[in-house]
Amino acid sequence: MSGQISIAPQDLVAWIIERSASTDRYLFGIAGPPGCGKSTLAERLGAELDAPVVPMDGFHLSNAELVERGQLGIKGAPETFAGSAFVDLVRVLRQANAMVACPTFDRMLDETVADRVRVTPDDAVVLVEGNYLLIDEAPWGELAGLLDDIAYVDVPNDVRVERLIDRHVAFGRDRVEALEFVRR
């Protein structure tokens, strides 16, 4: 991985093409806090690069398991993901020798959906996005060595919080409940 640099989103496609030219499989991570726009950026880059997007959100624990653990109210925190399984998937993606089916997260269902993204051996660039790609603690800390580069998406906190509240309202929470969930 390279050192820290700043790149405007509109320059990322050319940068990724240049960086990926010397490898069979280039894994580009997009990290940032919830509501910063990383999924939107990943989808845009994926369309422009004709590259699959593998979201960490596909590794949310099920709502039933979160209820059993007493963690539904903090869904989205690091401990509410199958982090080791996500790291294992990225390790498999590192090799470009087989088709890999990857889960996603359906916001309408509020659950993961298996096998929605397919990464083929011909996919030279794979975009991996999620909140915890840059966390140093296990198991997340292994990702830095598996991804070729990681971009961190940064927006002002007030913008991010408003986006999150709007997202939760759009998917069924009232505004007060959404605000409380985002604060937690």
Side-chain angles (χ1 to χ4, degrees):
M1 282 199 14
S2 61
Q4 199 171 20
I5 60 172
S6 181
I7 298 176
Q10 64 270 21
D11 298 329
L12 268 175
V13 170
W15 191 83
I16 290 170
I17 289 170
E18 180 182 321
R19 301 277 295 170
S20 66
S22 62
T23 184
D24 290 337
R25 164 81 39 94
Y26 177 78
L27 297 179
F28 184 73
I30 302 169
C36 71
K38 66 190 163 301
S39 298
T40 301
L41 176 61
E43 290 301 324
R44 187 178 117 211
L45 291 172
E48 290 186 43
L49 293 163
D50 192 27
V53 176
V54 177
M56 185 192 83
D57 281 354
F59 290 83
H60 274 287
L61 296 176
S62 71
N63 288 338
E65 186 169 348
L66 293 175
V67 166
E68 186 177 302
R69 293 173 164 209
Q71 295 178 322
L72 187 60
I74 60 166
K75 185 174 185 170
E79 62 271 22
T80 66
F81 285 88
S84 293
F86 179 68
V87 171
D88 288 345
L89 174 74
V90 174
R91 192 175 286 111
V92 168
L93 292 174
R94 180 79 266 157
Q95 302 169 17
N97 60 4
M99 195 281 294
V100 180
C102 309
T104 62
F105 186 77
D106 186 312
R107 291 194 189 283
M108 292 299 290
L109 297 174
D110 194 36
E111 291 282 0
T112 60
V113 179
D115 303 339
R116 268 221 186 133
V117 174
R118 306 246 184 226
V119 178
T120 71
D122 294 332
D123 289 318
V125 174
V126 178
L127 305 171
V128 178
E129 67 94 0
N131 298 347
Y132 306 125
L133 305 185
L134 292 169
I135 289 182
D136 285 339
E137 61 195 52
W140 311 104
E142 295 179 52
L143 293 169
L146 296 171
L147 300 168
D148 293 295
D149 291 296
I150 304 174
Y152 182 81
V153 180
D154 195 16
V155 298
N157 197 51
D158 59 327
V159 171
R160 193 179 67 75
V161 167
E162 196 57 39
R163 286 178 182 172
L164 285 171
I165 292 167
D166 290 346
R167 176 190 298 170
H168 287 283
V169 168
F171 288 102
R173 288 192 166 112
D174 66 46
R175 192 149 188 88
V176 172
E177 183 185 16
L179 177 60
E180 183 57 35
F181 183 84
V182 169
R183 283 185 179 158
R184 276 196 313 268

